[in-house]
Amino acid sequence: QVQLVESGGGLVQPGGSLRLSCAASGSIFRGNAMDWHRQAPGKQRELVARISSAGVTNYAGSVEGRFTISRDNAKATVYLQMNSLKYEDTAVYYCHTIKNYMNYWGQGTQVTVSS
């Protein structure tokens, strides 16, 4: 069953912006921290940003000041606003959460930064 669905990826020039969305089922979203991860070709998947159920945020140093994670609890949706994009931001971006020792992943959305 599909419980996390990402959207909003695409092709963007360096310095541009994209906004990713992740729609979750209510049972998965409610009371959970939500994460964005990314995986570039030839690299390990890395945590990009996290937002707690209370709205406290954390970012990887490489995106701090450029990316903003937010959540809309009424819509059970988490967002990742990406500004000042760089070539090294090119990756597949995944929405993720964990609940009751179970990991839930979205299918991923491709972000390509290219001039």
Side-chain angles (χ1 to χ4, degrees):
Q1 60 179 327
V2 178
Q3 295 176 297
L4 300 175
V5 180
E6 304 99 332
S7 62
L11 178 65
V12 65
Q13 294 185 13
S17 298
L18 283 174
R19 189 193 194 200
L20 307 183
S21 299
C22 174
S25 68
S27 61
I28 296 298
F29 191 89
R30 195 180 307 112
N32 282 38
M34 301 294 296
D35 311 331
W36 285 99
H37 297 241
R38 68 185 181 187
Q39 188 164 22
K43 297 184 178 180
Q44 294 187 32
R45 190 172 298 187
E46 65 173 340
L47 176 65
V48 174
R50 173 171 289 159
I51 184 166
S52 75
S53 60
V56 178
T57 59
N58 291 279
Y59 299 93
S62 58
V63 307
E64 179 72 52
R66 298 189 297 119
F67 291 10
T68 302
I69 188 171
S70 61
R71 65 193 294 160
D72 185 332
N73 292 335
K75 294 182 177 180
T77 301
V78 62
Y79 305 94
L80 186 67
Q81 178 66 47
M82 305 185 295
N83 299 325
S84 302
L85 284 161
K86 305 175 180 180
Y87 293 117
E88 48 264 48
D89 295 319
T90 295
V92 178
Y93 284 71
Y94 298 90
C95 183
H96 167 266
T97 192
I98 183 168
K99 187 174 184 178
N100 297 329
Y101 305 100
M102 294 289 292
N103 285 282
Y104 297 87
W105 293 93
Q107 81 287 355
T109 186
Q110 177 71 49
V111 172
T112 302
V113 183
S114 181
S115 61

